[in-house]
Amino acid sequence: MEGVCAVGSAGPDVPERVAAAERCAAVAGFGFSCAPEVGRLLRLAAASKPGGVMAESGTGCGVGAAWLHSGLIGDARLFTVERDQDLARRAAGVFADDDRVRVLTGDWRLLERHAPFDVFFCDGGGKRDDPQLVVELLAPGGVLVLDDFTPSSGWPPRYAGAVDELRVFYLTHPALHATEVLTTPTESAVLAVRRS
Ligand SMILES: C[S@@+](CC[C@H](N)C(=O)[O-])C[C@H]1O[C@@H](n2cnc3c(N)ncnc32)[C@H](O)[C@@H]1O
């Protein structure tokens, strides 16, 4: 499914599978897919781990997974989990032709049995409810991507008038090298690598 399609995504070089997942989301009325700016980060992270094991919590309709998929090299694999059965079924259809991708249905902790991960896009389950386990599921050198933060100048980061303790947790975790990057003028992502 190679090709370029600008449907629903800004910028060049949008894989056809991402466009297919975006169409799937539109049909399902699902409005929480990752932005293309985050998608390109996911592709970059996946492509940095040839033969690696990628994971995503919260598949939605498969947009983020399709971006990760576009960066898979060699026999790299992708496990993505979605607790909403209907969404999981729709997303599985997007990857029906590639057995390197497994769409799991259920709670994000189903991912545990497939860890450690070389890339983990934690986007639905885990990020807030068990951040320590999120870190533990990373392989040494594994890359963690967390999106949907609101940029905050200065330290510590603040959100809604209070210190954003969750962001502080990831940015200062002793097992991680972490930073925060703008993905759009109004959104940021935390990127981290697990120390060896
Ligand atoms: C932000 S959306 C995911 C978007 C998707 N990652 C993408 O980039 O296109 C979050 C998804 O996580 C799912 N979710 C929330 N909590 C979950 C959990 N504990 N286990 C599995 N999925 C969960 C929701 O049903 C929702 O579909």
Side-chain angles (χ1 to χ4, degrees):
M1 296 184 73
E2 295 303 316
V4 173
C5 176
V7 176
S9 285
D13 190 22
V14 176
E16 172 54 32
R17 198 180 300 265
V18 172
E22 288 180 338
R23 288 193 292 273
C24 172
V27 169
F30 181 78
F32 304 102
S33 302
C34 71
E37 293 86 348
V38 174
R40 290 189 174 84
L41 271 179
L42 297 174
R43 177 170 59 186
L44 178 156
S48 75
K49 303 289 183 180
V53 183
M54 321 298 162
E56 176 188 45
S57 72
T59 316
C61 280
V63 173
W67 278 110
L68 284 165
H69 176 273
S70 69
L72 296 185
I73 295 176
D75 59 356
R77 291 169 291 147
L78 167 60
F79 297 93
T80 178
V81 63
E82 171 56 56
R83 70 181 175 188
D84 181 300
Q85 286 191 8
D86 179 57
L87 291 176
R89 184 184 53 76
R90 290 173 188 268
V94 174
F95 301 98
D97 63 330
D98 193 337
D99 60 11
R100 293 177 302 172
V101 180
R102 281 190 58 194
V103 180
L104 310 171
T105 305
D107 186 70
W108 78 282
R109 288 171 195 273
L110 287 177
L111 288 174
E112 261 187 278
R113 68 188 68 163
H114 304 286
F117 301 124
D118 298 298
V119 175
F120 186 9
F121 178 35
C122 186
D123 198 30
K127 177 180 174 181
R128 293 178 192 286
D129 53 282
D130 198 343
Q132 180 57 31
L133 179 58
V134 169
V135 174
E136 288 169 8
L137 294 185
L138 292 169
V143 177
L144 176 64
V145 180
L146 303 158
D147 72 347
D148 288 336
F149 288 105
T150 300
S152 163
S153 58
W155 183 264
R158 302 180 71 84
Y159 178 69
V163 172
D164 186 345
E165 298 292 353
L166 184 70
R167 207 175 333 181
V168 170
F169 172 88
Y170 288 109
L171 289 171
T172 63
H173 195 290
L176 300 175
H177 291 301
T179 190
E180 183 174 354
V181 297
L182 280 184
T183 49
T184 72
T186 57
E187 292 174 309
S188 65
V190 169
L191 300 180
V193 172
R194 183 159 183 180
R195 300 159 71 124
S196 300

